[in-house]
Amino acid sequence: MTDLWQAHDAARAVAAAALGSDPGPMAAVESSSHHVYVGSDIVVKLIDAGGHARLDREALLADQLPSGLTAPLLASGLHRLGTREIRYACYVRVPGTAPGMGMPGVDRATARSLAEEAVQRLETLHRWVPTGQVEQTLREPLDHGGFVGQVALLAEVESLAALDSHGTVPRRLLNGLTAIAERAPLQAAAAVPVHADCHWGNWLARDRSVTALLDFEWARFGEPVDDWFFLARFSGPHLETVLEVITSATATSSEVLRTQCEAREAAYLVSDLRVALEHPDTHAQMAADRLSGLEELIVDRHWWRRTR
């Protein structure tokens, strides 16, 4: 919805219906994929019904996920606003705030405590055995842009190079991507449920304790490392601390974990850069951001700083 006043009115209407009472003041919060409004007791996510359907995926999962993992779902469905339909989902507001991308202002001890609890919650998710419609939904093909295997990543790098007619991506970075792909695992399994977007902007925490994991719209079957990547990569100065927590909890060697995380970051960056080059007029900032990410990945080798 491009009209923010309409989105606010719709959020209040669906919140009132879900609560059976006036929701009180509701404030908009930043979201890259939905209109999100937060009240004292409720969170409402909205998107035009003609947009992507990932909110339906999230709402379906919410009632079936392991208890205590995410915010309880109050209601979901379609709401008519004038001549248009809006897809919505309403959740109980869980106490806590997001540590945020890069965990700004978080000290090392708190980062370790949050990472330990986050790993425990994610392991609960990975042990979960969904059935019926939920299992079918999680197994549906999803263009997630993540790592699926060595051959596919090599093909994506070649596709990016062929698309880059203006030399936007320096040759040394393309060579670096090829080197990462060549040492990547042969393939990624679709073995367990994963969140697949569990950066620190999607967690809530209070008093050094995790309270909820939000935004399951990208959930699918994958490998646990699909989640370990997000947890570590977006922990800012605490990357090494979070990697230590993961290796200790999962008995994974540091080298294997770093190699697999590196491959996943390469896959996401290549996928986003390909989109940016295909639509340069609308994705110029994304192209700049992803090129900066490639520099960190390949030149700075941030997954391997501690090992050098």
Side-chain angles (χ1 to χ4, degrees), residues 238-261:
H238 306 296
L239 183 144
E240 293 298 330
T241 296
V242 175
L243 285 174
E244 289 172 10
V245 169
I246 295 168
T247 56
S248 175
T250 63
T252 304
S253 79
S254 175
E255 181 175 355
V256 167
L257 179 60
R258 291 172 194 271
T259 298
Q260 293 195 342
C261 286

Side-chain angles (χ1 to χ4, degrees), residues 118-132:
V119 167
Q120 291 174 5
R121 297 227 178 184
L122 287 168
E123 287 187 316
T124 297
L125 173 64
H126 300 161
R127 290 192 298 267
W128 174 49
V129 182
T131 59

Side-chain angles (χ1 to χ4, degrees), residues 294-306:
L294 277 185
E295 289 280 350
E296 292 183 27
L297 177 68
I298 294 165
V299 179
D300 295 345
R301 299 196 73 210
H302 57 250
W303 290 107
W304 303 96
R305 286 176 187 160
R306 181 63 66 86

Side-chain angles (χ1 to χ4, degrees), residues 216-281:
F216 276 77
E217 62 182 88
W218 289 105
R220 56 182 173 83
F221 274 93
E223 294 185 325
V225 72
D226 293 324
D227 285 336
W228 306 146
F229 159 72
F230 280 98
L231 209 61
R233 178 63 182 93
F234 299 101
S235 57
H238 306 296
L239 183 144
E240 293 298 330
T241 296
V242 175
L243 285 174
E244 289 172 10
V245 169
I246 295 168
T247 56
S248 175
T250 63
T252 304
S253 79
S254 175
E255 181 175 355
V256 167
L257 179 60
R258 291 172 194 271
T259 298
Q260 293 195 342
C261 286
E262 182 182 55
R264 278 154 178 82
E265 182 167 5
Y268 283 117
L269 290 173
V270 170
S271 177
D272 284 354
L273 274 168
R274 180 171 49 77
V275 171
L277 293 182
E278 289 172 345
H279 306 279
D281 293 338

Side-chain angles (χ1 to χ4, degrees), residues 151-176:
V151 172
L153 181 53
L154 283 167
E156 280 285 280
V157 175
E158 291 175 2
S159 176
L160 177 64
L163 184 65
D164 188 20
S165 58
H166 298 292
T168 301
V169 185
R171 174 55 57 180
R172 62 192 172 86
L173 297 183
L174 289 171
N175 291 340

